[in-house]
Amino acid sequence: MKILFILPGIGKKSGERYLKSWLMEPLTIAVLKRLTPERYETAFFDDRIESIDESCPCDVVAITVETYTAKRAYELAERFRRRGKLVIMGGYHATLCPEDAASHADIIISGNCEGIWAGVLNDIEAGCFKPFYEGSTSLDYGQPDRSIYEDKMKKYLPVSLVEIGRGCRHSCEFCSIASYYKSCYMHRSTADIIADIKTARNKIFFFVDDSIFSDKEFAKELFTEVAKLKITWTTQITLDIARDEELLYLMKKSGCSLVLIGFESINPQNLKQMNKSWSGKLGERDMLVERIHKAGINIYASFVFGFDYDCEQSFADVLDFSSKHKFFVVAFNHLLAFPNTPTYNKLESEGKLLHSQWWLEEDYNYGQISFLPKLVSPEELRALCGKYKHKYFTFGSILRRVPALFARTLNPMLHFAYWFINILFHFEVDKRIGIPVGENLDEDKL
Ligand code: B12
Ligand code: SF4
């Protein structure tokens, strides 16, 4: 039996390339490959960089589905089903919205597939598969098998993705991770992680966790081991890491020079609304940011607008806050109503969703607002995100932040990343907006 894995793309503007900043190696596929018993043949198409060959000989098509890629995934699924292939879907969207995915797949796997994937393939071979499988809570896959995309490595950013753990102990209302993992956290063994790092191809690492220090004692033990490898790494964390100075010190010592922090908002009422008040209380936030900067760690600060207390002044306040702290880079995004999160359910019950299945809407574009914000119109919200992003990525702003960068780090890799990312964002500010979701991916990959 031959399994064809597919990573669908979101979409791209006609005549343009897929966004460079989204082209990271697809770790999900390397893990799925590792979990696939060796007796099965496998192939992989990355829709972001190559054309999908529908005539590729295979028996089973396994598609990973995120909300933004659902439309494209369903279109590809239908094409393969017309050719008599069996389609399996898994991933965030297939898990959080199985009723949506089920009409386009023969099998839906909900949640993590460690411990069940081989059994599902067995059932298919035996002709007794079920339409729905509940995933496991195990995270025991050993080493991801990156050979599945070895031939495409040159197309990806030169960063190795490694997973430390999955899930997060918090319950922010807008977050797919909180809904998917039901606010639980689990991690791999230190031995597996270290072996993974040692065998990865690139020497810059992105630990794809959302909350790497959910288990503090484990994080301290891990950082101590990682420090011996002399690598540079980045991850996504929450601001409260700075409340534990020992942890912060160990993190820096282990090679962490840049972290993405989801501040989301600096307005206490918004933070309360999204259940994220714990992340940095009023008056404490500046001190925590300074502590992280003082430790020599740069911050990619991510903000989300569209909550009930957001108006243009909120953007101005966040821009001031970001400029004051001279963040390495920022993201000014609008709120996304991901299905089956409390935010989505609340907007739906209040009648504020403009389209209930916005991800499947015809002509839906990346950056289009799918709900009615309270204090601004959807068009204003979208325009304000663009306007304030522009302000942060002007060449003047990029230059003004350089002395702070030197004060935090002299690592040439970080300096290169600073210029690369800021200039990329300077030019990509408008490029992301308006990407037609689910379309144009069949044009020749440019
Ligand atoms: C790395 C990452 C990225 C990278 C690249 C991702 C890539 N595909 O190459 C970058 C930074 C570019 C990125 C961009 C974006 N991302 Co992202 N990303 C992640 C992140 C942090 C890790 C993904 C990963 O590798 N996980 C490790 C693998 C092993 O786990 P896994 O994918 O969950 O797979 C397991 C199971 O889910 C299941 N499974 C998954 N797929 C399938 C398929 C089959 C057939 C089966 C059987 C099982 C199965 O089995 C696997 C093993 O158990 C996740 C959050 C997270 N921690 O997972 C967000 C996440 C996937 N991203 C998300 C989003 C929203 C985006 C963006 C839209 C952000 C934006 N606003 O621009 C863009 C879209 C880019 C794109 N798709 O082209 C959301 C998706 C939410 C949703 N409901 O769909 C997530 C969950 C983050 C979040 N906090 O909500 N992302
Ligand atoms: S802290 Fe981050 S990952 Fe955890 S629930 Fe909140 S937004 Fe999601």
Side-chain angles (χ1 to χ4, degrees):
M1 190 163 83
K2 181 167 175 181
I3 302 142
L4 172 64
F5 295 108
I6 296 185
L7 180 92
I10 288 185
K12 66 182 181 66
K13 288 182 187 168
S14 185
E16 290 188 11
R17 287 169 194 268
Y18 200 85
L19 277 191
K20 183 81 184 149
S21 54
W22 280 344
L23 284 180
M24 292 200 184
E25 58 170 72
L27 179 62
T28 308
I29 306 297
V31 171
L32 289 171
K33 167 71 180 166
R34 164 57 65 222
L35 298 172
T36 305
E38 275 178 17
R39 69 175 186 281
Y40 299 116
E41 264 190 88
T42 55
F44 166 52
F45 284 131
D46 189 333
D47 192 31
R48 304 171 299 176
I49 55 169
E50 62 193 334
S51 301
I52 307 286
D53 177 7
E54 282 167 52
S55 62
C56 170
C58 65
D59 307 285
V60 172
V61 180
I63 311 180
T64 178
V65 192
E66 290 173 20
T67 302
Y68 261 115
T69 60
K71 195 167 162 190
R72 174 67 173 165
Y74 300 163
E75 180 203 321
L76 291 171
E78 291 311 328
R79 288 200 217 162
F80 279 101
R81 287 176 103 186
R82 279 199 292 274
R83 288 175 174 260
K85 311 295 178 196
L86 186 115
V87 172
I88 310 182
M89 287 185 191
Y92 282 92
H93 190 75
T95 299
L96 295 174
C97 224
E99 65 285 358
D100 189 45
S103 48
H104 304 277
D106 301 285
I107 299 176
I108 300 290
I109 296 191
S110 160
N112 294 338
C113 69
E114 284 82 3
I116 68 155
W117 180 234
V120 175
L121 296 175
N122 242 334
D123 287 355
I124 295 170
E125 266 190 320
C128 61
F129 64 84
K130 296 182 277 181
F132 182 83
Y133 289 82
E134 189 71 60
S136 65
T137 50
S138 145
L139 187 43
D140 194 11
Y141 56 79
Q143 307 305 309
D145 185 350
R146 296 184 175 85
S147 66
I148 186 94
Y149 46 73
E150 193 62 39
D151 57 324
K152 311 182 214 297
M153 270 301 202
K154 282 200 192 106
K155 306 255 182 181
Y156 301 135
L157 294 173
V159 177
S160 291
L161 273 60
V162 168
E163 197 176 36
I164 307 301
R166 284 187 199 156
C168 170
R169 66 190 191 284
H170 296 296
S171 320
C172 305
E173 297 215 335
F174 58 88
C175 179
S176 295
I177 301 290
S179 299
Y180 186 105
Y181 290 102
K182 301 189 173 54
S183 302
C184 293
Y185 174 78
M186 56 191 151
H187 61 79
R188 298 168 72 197
S189 73
T190 304
D192 275 351
I193 297 164
I194 297 296
D196 200 354
I197 296 174
K198 281 185 174 166
T199 51
R201 180 171 153 140
N202 300 297
K203 294 301 160 212
I204 307 173
F205 290 85
F206 173 17
F207 295 165
V208 297
D209 292 53
D210 297 284
S211 179
I212 202 167
F213 69 105
S214 274
D215 178 340
K216 279 193 187 181
E217 287 319 304
F218 165 72
K220 286 179 185 175
E221 173 198 311
L222 178 76
F223 295 161
T224 307
E225 290 307 307
V226 172
K228 297 174 187 162
L229 304 178
K230 309 270 176 247
I231 60 163
T232 300
W233 61 274
T234 177
T235 194
Q236 315 175 114
I237 53 160
T238 46
L239 186 59
D240 53 334
I241 184 143
R243 289 194 187 123
D244 186 329
E245 291 196 73
E246 185 198 359
L247 193 58
L248 196 60
Y249 167 76
L250 288 173
M251 192 165 93
K252 171 64 189 170
K253 212 171 156 231
S254 70
C256 179
S257 305
L258 174 67
V259 288
L260 185 149
I261 296 182
F263 288 89
E264 327 307 359
S265 178
I266 55 171
N267 177 318
Q269 287 156 300
N270 280 340
L271 287 167
K272 193 170 174 208
Q273 186 193 351
M274 68 181 94
N275 196 22
K276 202 164 185 170
S277 303
W278 52 265
S279 67
K281 301 217 163 42
L282 202 60
E284 190 196 15
R285 188 182 302 118
D286 288 311
M287 182 271 283
L288 294 177
V289 168
E290 278 161 24
R291 225 180 238 183
I292 293 173
H293 279 160
K294 233 173 136 187
I297 298 174
N298 292 279
I299 298 176
Y300 179 152
S302 172
F303 299 94
V304 176
F305 299 90
F307 291 96
D308 283 356
Y309 302 89
D310 278 330
C311 55
E312 177 152 10
Q313 190 55 44
S314 323
F315 284 87
D317 292 344
V318 166
L319 185 69
D320 282 351
F321 174 71
S322 304
S323 305
K324 178 172 81 179
H325 287 294
K326 299 191 168 51
F327 289 127
F328 191 84
V329 63
V330 299
F332 293 166
N333 293 320
H334 64 78
L335 178 62
L336 286 165
F338 281 116
N340 279 333
T341 57
T343 295
Y344 179 94
N345 297 339
K346 184 166 164 268
L347 288 168
E348 190 177 42
S349 68
E350 290 171 351
K352 287 186 183 164
L353 280 183
L354 295 171
H355 310 282
S356 59
Q357 288 175 300
W358 52 267
W359 55 92
L360 297 181
E361 214 40 48
E362 208 179 320
D363 299 330
Y364 180 76
N365 290 333
Y366 182 88
Q368 197 170 321
I369 316 292
S370 59
F371 67 99
L372 276 176
K374 200 166 178 182
L375 299 180
V376 289
S377 69
E379 296 72 29
E380 279 169 327
L381 178 58
R382 181 170 161 164
L384 286 167
C385 287
K387 178 175 162 185
Y388 282 84
K389 268 183 198 167
H390 268 300
K391 287 182 190 265
Y392 201 73
F393 292 107
T394 58
F395 284 122
S397 162
I398 297 174
L399 281 170
R400 273 195 297 281
R401 286 181 273 129
V402 170
L405 173 68
F406 271 98
R408 282 171 216 144
T409 180
L410 295 175
N411 181 340
M413 208 155 16
L414 259 288
H415 282 256
F416 173 77
Y418 178 83
W419 287 103
F420 181 79
I421 299 173
N422 276 277
I423 290 174
L424 194 70
F425 282 18
H426 173 92
F427 290 109
E428 271 191 2
V429 158
D430 290 321
K431 270 194 175 173
R432 285 165 188 254
I433 304 295
I435 289 176
V437 170
E439 282 166 38
N440 280 322
L441 277 152
D442 290 323
E443 288 176 11
D444 284 341
K445 306 284 160 173
L446 294 162

